[in-house]
Amino acid sequence: MALPLPPLTRPYLFLDTETGGLDPERHSLLSIGLVVGDEGEVRHSLEILLKHDTYVVDGPALRVNRIDLAAHHQRALEAPVAFSVLDVFLTQYFPCKHEPIVLVGHNVAFDRAFLKRFWEARGQAFEPRFSHRLVDTHALAAGLRDAGRLRVEDLSSDALFAHFGIDVPSDQRHTALGDALATFQLYWKLVELAR
């Protein structure tokens, strides 16, 4: 029998999504990458692929995330099952439903908007389960750059991963889980730089 893990020291959920485009009200949410952990140590990660009857996607988005919709459809979960998997994951790592989950990501407002639409489509209130507060690694990097602590002009995830030596295997880059794991590392590199 596995011993329960001690509580997380910070109530952060690292999030990345892959989508069929830029508009959460129109484009399909294709995958959700989730990472929980403490000070540089991943406790658990999960990727959920979402199945749709009809996919609303733009060609440029699919080229970036390299998703083959036919293969994706075979592996993806129907929305009710995907929601149940997500809810079990959240209950395991964020059991107190009265403490909103703080999302962390790179340009995380984008991912939050797609997650919110998916969550609310299941008839669930997004807040208070998720906080209105976000931790954005782009904003953290901008603040450190402006304070003279980070010598990088380009604050894209590609540039920051390269600057900090965060190696994302090419087959994992621009996947929800691969990018969520890399963003987890990036966050702790930025925290270390700020100390």
Side-chain angles (χ1 to χ4, degrees), residues 8-195:
L8 294 167
T9 58
R10 290 176 178 79
Y12 294 157
L13 176 61
F14 291 78
L15 170 70
D16 189 78
T17 61
E18 297 304 327
T19 69
L22 300 177
D23 184 353
E25 296 304 317
R26 189 166 73 84
H27 293 112
S28 300
L29 173 60
L30 301 175
S31 60
I32 303 169
L34 306 165
V35 176
V36 294
D38 290 307
E39 191 100 16
E41 182 180 340
V42 172
R43 285 197 188 189
H44 195 68
S45 61
L46 176 68
E47 185 171 47
I48 301 171
L49 306 182
L50 292 119
K51 184 177 289 191
H52 299 270
D53 292 331
T54 302
Y55 291 89
V56 180
V57 299
D58 285 341
L62 291 183
R63 280 192 293 279
V64 169
N65 57 35
R66 302 179 319 271
I67 291 177
D68 174 324
L69 283 180
H72 173 89
H73 192 77
Q74 292 298 317
R75 296 174 39 228
L77 302 174
E78 300 281 353
V81 176
F83 182 84
S84 293
V85 170
L86 175 58
D87 191 45
V88 167
F89 180 91
L90 296 177
T91 300
Q92 181 177 3
Y93 292 99
F94 303 90
C96 182
K97 295 194 176 186
H98 302 294
E99 283 185 32
I101 299 167
V102 176
L103 299 173
V104 182
H106 198 76
N107 299 315
V108 70
F110 173 86
D111 304 292
R112 182 189 190 272
F114 276 90
L115 180 63
K116 182 175 190 284
R117 180 176 175 225
F118 172 69
W119 190 266
E120 290 178 346
R122 307 270 47 91
Q124 303 295 313
F126 195 72
E127 291 180 26
R129 189 63 174 122
F130 296 92
S131 177
H132 63 280
R133 293 182 174 89
L134 303 171
V135 178
D136 191 324
T137 53
H138 181 276
L140 292 173
L144 288 167
R145 180 196 61 197
D146 295 348
R149 301 290 300 271
L150 179 60
R151 306 272 185 226
V152 176
E153 285 305 313
D154 180 357
L155 299 179
S156 68
S157 56
D158 281 332
L160 289 169
F161 295 162
H163 176 79
F164 286 105
I166 298 168
D167 181 36
V168 186
S170 60
D171 65 333
Q172 292 298 304
R173 184 64 175 114
H174 297 298
T175 67
L177 183 56
D179 287 356
L181 287 164
T183 302
F184 177 84
Q185 293 180 57
L186 175 60
Y187 173 80
W188 290 108
K189 298 278 189 184
L190 293 169
V191 167
E192 185 59 34
L193 187 61
R195 287 185 170 137

